[in-house]
Amino acid sequence: MEKKITISPVTRIEGHARVTIHLNDDGKVESAFFHVDQFRGFEKFSEGRHFSEMPVITERICGICPISHHLASAKATDEIIGVEIPRTAKLLRELIHMGQIIQSHSMHFFELAGPDLILGWDADPKIRNVVGLIQENPELALKAVKLRKFGQRIIELVAGRRIHPTFAVPGGVNSSLSPSARDEILSGIDEMIGYIKEGIKIAEDFIEKNKELCDEFASFPTGYMGLVKEDGSLELYDGKIRFMDKDGNILKEFKPQYYLRYIGERVEDWTYLKFPYYKPLGYPNGVYRVGPLARLNIADKISTPLANEEFKKFKSINNGKPVEGSIYYHYARLIETVYALERAREILEDPEVMSQNVLKMGEVTNEEGVGVVEAPRGTLIHHYWVDERGTIEKVNLIVSTGHNNWAMSKAVEMVAKAFVDGKNLKEGMLNRVEGAIRCYDPCLSCSTHAIGKMPIVVELYDKDGNIIDVIKRD
């Protein structure tokens, strides 16, 4: 008789998920599933709102990565009014985006993934957490907190507050940068680069000591997608979308506005999270990954010197071919953090960043707008349709974590089959399954949405607990 192991909830991620592992009579894993049960209705309840409200509505999808939604939304509204925003506004938007990358990436590596890499997969769950890290290495833990604080401080100084700002608006931003804010951020960058280099040393040491594990742990071929600059270098705020196949060949490059021509979504009945794929290849041949690993795989270089040196090391892992092992997401995440710190300095040293020209007003001129950024977890797409008054008629959000759904599901099954023994079950085995998900740093409260009508069952009970009515919608 088939037996089932359930991991619920999956820990040290944002949002709610569970894993079911199905065993045969010999205790071996037959199959495993990654379930996302929560549903967010932002697309539906945004209908009827004015498009200009969307940057402050959609950022409330999440408290961890609100800046990503804030900026993707603002870019979509720019298209609706048909304006090219002032360069200073673009620089300031990108600056808070770098703050978002710094705070999110550093938090994930040190506080969410770090307990596995630093304390060990099989460490006692009572200490395999951020408290355990503090006990093990209080100096490192303090530096990790300071890194996240620095990223949040960038957002606060530029946008007015750390979470859910009102800074980006259709046509630009609503305030300029002060000299004191510029100087404060600049003064801390070198120290933060030093801290993140310590993280890179931890990651590189782990890889060196566990090379076989890193190469095999949830390692599988997929396509890859992300933004790049015109010269093919890493891009997180703007640029064109590049699709790469599993062998490293570029399949297509296109403007983000044309994403619907190339991205389809498949629905499975065991999760609310959909499965995007590259349309020309179909499903499942067209599945792909996004996020730090994918972005470094598709990029030709990084435009800042320190990050580019680490990028060269990353590219050497598989001799220039795409790096497939999921654990390498952690290493890629740290390299991007170096880039974000260096890029923040470049922006702040640009004389135009202090200009007062931060907003270009406009009226509704286009019936739809698409905004795309590279959120910490991957490519984030906001697409709005409006009427002539600017009232939202339809919204489509494809959130970073959603792109990685197939990969997370595959990672769960691979790791479960490799490590879980139903007749000699140990907690560390199940933690490795969770760790496969943590490689992708999923933000599950961001990522679920519906095609058509959601299936739903409503049960009505009386005061004694008896069912008196049931309403179903398939």
Side-chain angles (χ1 to χ4, degrees), residues 17 65 79 108 126 147 207 213 215 229 251 265 270 388:
C65 48
E79 285 204 349
H108 182 266
K126 293 179 181 178
L147 261 168
I207 293 168
L213 172 70
D215 287 342
K229 293 184 173 75
L251 295 173
E265 292 180 284
W270 40 270
E388 68 279 1

Side-chain angles (χ1 to χ4, degrees), residues 69-70 105 114 131 243 292 326 332 435:
H69 289 285
H70 187 56
H105 277 359
V131 175
F243 265 102
S326 295

Side-chain angles (χ1 to χ4, degrees), residues 44 73 79 87 101 214 216 226 264 266 271 283 288 292 311 324 334-335 355 371 379 390 398 425 427 433:
K44 193 63 180 176
S73 181
E79 285 204 349
R87 182 170 182 270
I101 296 291
C214 293
E216 296 180 359
R266 183 180 175 90
T271 180
Y283 184 90
Y288 58 88
F311 174 76
E324 295 180 347
L334 296 170
I335 296 171
S355 170
T379 313
I398 304 182
L425 191 63
E427 190 277 337
V433 176

Side-chain angles (χ1 to χ4, degrees), residues 179-206:
S180 61
R182 176 198 59 194
D183 295 345
E184 179 180 332
I185 299 169
L186 280 171
S187 68
I189 288 177
D190 284 333
E191 182 181 2
M192 296 304 123
I193 288 176
Y195 291 169
I196 206 65
K197 282 185 174 180
E198 291 186 41
I200 289 176
K201 181 66 165 58
I202 292 169
E204 290 177 338
D205 287 349
F206 182 89

Side-chain angles (χ1 to χ4, degrees), residues 365-385:
T365 57
N366 297 309
E367 294 180 347
E368 57 185 294
V370 176
V372 177
V373 299
E374 286 293 332
R377 292 151 185 86
T379 313
L380 171 62
I381 301 170
H382 280 227
H383 189 178
Y384 310 147
W385 289 261

Side-chain angles (χ1 to χ4, degrees), residues 164-283:
H164 303 149
T166 60
F167 181 64
V169 296
V173 298
N174 60 16
S175 62
S176 58
L177 182 67
S178 71
S180 61
R182 176 198 59 194
D183 295 345
E184 179 180 332
I185 299 169
L186 280 171
S187 68
I189 288 177
D190 284 333
E191 182 181 2
M192 296 304 123
I193 288 176
Y195 291 169
I196 206 65
K197 282 185 174 180
E198 291 186 41
I200 289 176
K201 181 66 165 58
I202 292 169
E204 290 177 338
D205 287 349
F206 182 89
I207 293 168
E208 183 179 355
K209 294 174 183 176
N210 303 275
K211 188 65 167 62
E212 185 176 352
L213 172 70
C214 293
D215 287 342
E216 296 180 359
F217 187 91
S219 182
F220 44 85
T222 62
Y224 302 94
M225 185 188 82
L227 294 175
V228 293
K229 293 184 173 75
E230 285 300 319
D231 64 358
S233 60
L234 176 71
E235 175 59 44
L236 299 178
Y237 175 75
D238 226 341
K240 57 186 177 182
I241 293 177
R242 171 181 284 183
F243 265 102
M244 176 178 282
D245 71 12
K246 61 184 177 61
D247 298 315
N249 303 306
I250 297 174
L251 295 173
K252 191 71 177 177
E253 293 181 345
F254 55 91
K255 293 181 179 180
Q257 290 80 2
Y258 303 129
Y259 78 97
L260 283 175
R261 296 180 185 178
Y262 303 102
I263 298 175
E265 292 180 284
R266 183 180 175 90
V267 176
E268 299 288 357
D269 60 7
W270 40 270
T271 180
Y272 280 152
L273 191 56
K274 294 189 288 187
F275 294 81
Y277 61 93
Y278 180 61
K279 279 184 178 180
L281 294 181
Y283 184 90

Side-chain angles (χ1 to χ4, degrees), residues 13-16 38 40 42 55-70 96 99-101 103-105 107 112 148 151-152 155 161-165 375-377 380 399 441-447:
I13 63 170
E14 200 288 321
H16 303 283
Q38 66 186 122
R40 304 284 267 176
F42 273 80
V56 294
I57 290 176
T58 56
E59 67 180 354
R60 283 163 171 79
I61 291 173
C62 185
I64 301 296
C65 48
I67 299 303
S68 302
H69 289 285
H70 187 56
I96 64 170
Q100 165 78 11
I101 296 291
Q103 69 89 8
S104 180
H105 277 359
M107 179 185 70
L112 301 182
R148 181 163 194 262
Q152 293 285 67
I155 299 167
R161 60 188 186 196
R162 301 179 182 191
I163 299 175
H164 303 149
R377 292 151 185 86
L380 171 62
V399 178
D441 188 19
C443 185
L444 300 174
S445 62
C446 284
S447 54

